Amino acid sequence: MAHSSVSPNVPTSLHRGTQTILKAGVVAGILDLTTAMIVNYLLAGTTPVRLLLFIASGIFGKEAFSGGIPMALLGLFLHFFIAMAFAFFYFLLYPRIQTLAKHKIVAGLLYGVFAWIVMNQIVIPLSNTPKFPFNPVKAAIGMLVLMCMIGLPISIIVHKYFRRS
């Protein structure tokens, strides 16, 4: 008898769904973080470690900036946690909103706009990160990054899962 990597108590579709969410979250997280690191370095000279410390400051405030590599690693974890949350939410929405399947590219781009709104109007204002004045150019760049690096990959990966199901 052949052994499956899936426990007999866990339905295969649940296992595949979990893998899809993880894949979408990791891919989107890598794309977004890499782009954010490049853009922030080019626009402000921000190092990758400093960007990760900024993410950690969402919980720990300015103390995060003196936390070194352990705090940067926490920022990295938080970044991927948020990317996973966006992937999970889209995965839950997908079977309930038929338009997502019919227009995966447009849906992904709009989901990136949704992610930008959630992050910039809810998460960041409620966090302990340093506050900066609104800059329309940086906001547009940030929204474009989330549209292309969060919304699109999540939409495409989740669409592929449901197309096979």
Side-chain angles (χ1 to χ4, degrees):
M1 180 162 117
H3 292 291
S4 170
S5 64
V6 178
S7 165
N9 298 330
V10 178
T12 302
S13 61
L14 177 62
H15 179 70
R16 280 189 52 241
T18 302
Q19 285 182 322
T20 299
I21 293 165
L22 290 173
K23 180 179 180 180
V26 167
V27 168
I30 289 170
L31 291 172
D32 176 52
L33 186 60
T34 302
T35 305
M37 286 179 173
I38 292 168
V39 167
N40 279 283
Y41 180 76
L42 293 175
L43 292 180
T46 305
T47 66
V49 170
R50 182 92 175 152
L51 180 63
L52 293 172
L53 293 173
F54 178 82
I55 295 168
S57 76
I59 293 176
F60 296 99
K62 38 184 182 184
E63 291 79 27
F65 294 99
S66 59
I69 296 301
M71 191 64 72
L73 290 173
L74 180 61
L76 182 65
F77 170 79
L78 291 171
H79 171 77
F80 279 98
F81 178 81
I82 292 167
M84 290 294 166
F86 279 114
F88 179 73
F89 187 64
Y90 193 86
F91 188 88
L92 291 178
L93 287 178
Y94 191 93
R96 292 164 178 78
I97 303 174
Q98 292 181 354
T99 305
L100 299 180
K102 293 177 185 170
H103 307 285
K104 70 179 175 205
I105 301 300
V106 172
L109 293 171
L110 290 175
Y111 192 65
V113 172
F114 169 77
W116 184 89
I117 291 168
V118 167
M119 291 305 299
N120 288 275
Q121 300 302 312
I122 300 169
V123 175
I124 292 173
L126 292 175
S127 77
N128 293 315
T129 59
K131 306 304 182 236
F132 299 100
F134 181 77
N135 179 320
V137 172
K138 287 183 180 178
I141 292 169
M143 186 179 290
L144 187 61
V145 168
L146 291 184
M147 290 168 70
C148 297
M149 303 303 167
I150 292 285
L152 272 181
I154 289 173
S155 176
I156 291 167
I157 291 167
V158 170
H159 176 81
K160 186 176 177 181
Y161 167 83
F162 280 103
R163 195 180 74 223
R164 288 182 178 173
S165 296

